[in-house]
Amino acid sequence: MPLRAAVAALPAYVPGARLAPGSSAFKLSSNENPYPPPAAVVAAIVDAAADTNRYPDMYATDLTEALATDLGVDAAQVVVGNGSVAVLAHILSAVVDAGDEVVYPWRSFEAYPIAVAVAGGTSVRVPVTRDGRLDLPAMAAAISDRTRVVLVCTPNNPTGPVVHAGELDAFLASVPGDVLVVLDEAYLEFVRDPEAPDGLAVLAAHPNVVLLRTLSKAYGLAGLRVGYAVAEPALAAGIRAVSTPFGVSHVAQRAALAALSVKDELLERVEHLVARRERLVEGLRDQGWDLPGTQANFVWFPLGGPTAELAVGASAAGLLVRPFAGEGIRVSVGEEEATEAFLRVAAGWR
């Protein structure tokens, strides 16, 4: 049975390298939170495991309400899914017809072209600037009468910079009201740039904006897959209608609720990671590196041709990093010891 042409042509999603059993290497390849879950989250997981013979709450009602309370929005605006990647797929399923265009930056999150193709859409890639920033004027110029969605990844994965409020306002003013703008804020909690936009305020001012967020990074639930969208209620209802039934497991829902209950503890860990990121960036600057200004929990090295070879060398030194063949290497902010070890490797790259 032949596959759909769009499926047959899909690029492979390349996950970050995994640690071998018993390995002493540091995993800096997947932008994970290096801290283990707090005791309250582990306890919630253990307790919820006893109910795995039952289907989860299909609409994650308690979690949806808890997120809405935390954000200060109506619960009807929140849609929870099996990680933000799945939620993005549901958004595109809700609004994209065959042949519709989806504009997004590139290089950016590698799931974008896959999600667009699966939804039946046509990708329109707009190159990021030489310093890894989204070129919002060029993205606005790429919008045509066939454009249905624009994806704005901020901070941008894998390059790291965040869009600024003023440039986002100007961009949104130029986007037609019937074009959906998805602000992908997976790394929101790591942002310290005072010029970064307030996503919730942007959403309140623009009914064609959707916020896409995750509990995988700052909240340390990458292994349980919990993401969510925040949107105008009618749009949220449409996204919810096409979502995978029972898409978020009972264990994941209870763990997410527990994580929200210890939010202050988790955000304190984020502060430590941000401080570690700044030390890493300072150390790299002292070595002579001129890299994109990151506001996420990773740094980007636009290395070009030597990328694969240098990634292999880092692995041999006990550091798993994420190469993008022929383009560059993304390195997550990990344990304190990993930071020091990576600075030694980066010095060798010079």
Side-chain angles (χ1 to χ4, degrees):
M1 177 67 69
L3 297 171
R4 285 170 47 209
V7 173
L10 286 179
Y13 185 101
V14 181
R18 295 181 61 83
L19 292 172
S23 172
S24 60
F26 291 107
K27 186 183 179 192
L28 307 178
S29 55
S30 297
N31 298 343
E32 296 159 334
N33 190 321
Y35 292 100
V41 174
V42 174
I45 291 170
V46 172
D47 183 62
D51 296 321
T52 52
N53 59 311
R54 304 295 184 186
Y55 284 107
D57 174 1
M58 181 163 155
Y59 296 115
T61 307
D62 291 345
L63 178 56
T64 297
E65 291 177 352
L67 285 166
T69 298
D70 184 63
L71 298 168
V73 300
D74 191 284
Q77 294 181 259
V78 179
V79 185
V80 178
N82 184 31
S84 62
V85 175
V87 179
L88 173 61
H90 299 151
I91 293 169
L92 297 179
S93 294
V95 301
V96 172
D97 281 322
D100 285 346
E101 292 179 348
V102 179
V103 175
Y104 54 84
W106 199 254
R107 158 80 55 185
S108 193
F109 185 32
E110 66 181 309
Y112 289 165
I114 299 172
V116 171
V118 170
T122 299
S123 286
V124 177
R125 302 184 185 187
V126 178
V128 298
T129 63
R130 293 189 64 179
D131 57 354
R133 293 180 54 80
L134 270 60
D135 189 341
L136 291 180
M139 290 176 66
I143 295 173
S144 74
D145 56 6
R146 295 176 57 199
T147 303
R148 194 72 181 94
V149 181
V150 180
L151 306 179
V152 176
C153 190
T154 179
N156 187 50
N157 175 19
T159 60
V162 69
V163 302
H164 288 157
E167 61 183 342
L168 182 61
D169 287 343
F171 171 75
L172 290 171
S174 69
V175 175
D178 61 349
V179 172
L180 189 68
V181 178
V182 178
L183 290 187
D184 186 346
E185 299 183 311
Y187 301 92
L188 170 71
E189 292 84 0
F190 300 95
V191 174
R192 297 297 179 272
D193 187 335
E195 294 186 62
D198 177 345
L200 289 168
V202 173
L203 172 66
H206 299 276
N208 63 326
V209 166
V210 175
L211 306 182
L212 184 63
R213 296 181 176 181
T214 182
L215 299 185
S216 292
K217 311 301 181 184
Y219 288 81
L221 297 182
L224 288 177
R225 315 305 301 125
V226 182
Y228 63 96
V230 190
E232 176 270 326
L235 178 57
I239 299 167
R240 194 177 296 111
V242 301
S243 296
T244 305
F246 309 106
V248 182
S249 75
H250 178 64
V251 172
Q253 291 182 38
R254 304 318 294 183
L257 283 165
L260 289 172
S261 76
V262 293
K263 178 180 178 179
D264 289 346
E265 179 182 349
L266 289 168
L267 293 185
E268 183 177 348
R269 294 177 175 189
V270 169
E271 288 297 334
H272 291 307
L273 290 172
V274 169
R276 201 171 297 163
R277 175 189 75 196
E278 297 309 308
R279 290 198 297 275
L280 174 61
V281 168
E282 182 179 355
L284 292 169
R285 190 178 298 116
D286 289 344
Q287 291 178 6
W289 290 99
D290 182 17
L291 303 176
T294 181
Q295 286 291 308
N297 66 336
F298 54 82
V299 292
W300 170 248
F301 292 80
L303 298 167
T307 289
E309 177 185 352
L310 294 175
V312 169
S315 180
L319 298 164
L320 301 183
V321 297
R322 174 64 171 91
F324 293 79
E327 297 183 61
I329 292 176
R330 188 191 67 200
V331 182
S332 307
V333 176
E335 298 84 352
E336 190 71 52
E337 301 88 343
T339 300
E340 298 306 316
F342 177 70
L343 281 170
R344 292 191 292 271
V345 168
W349 288 355
R350 293 292 295 171

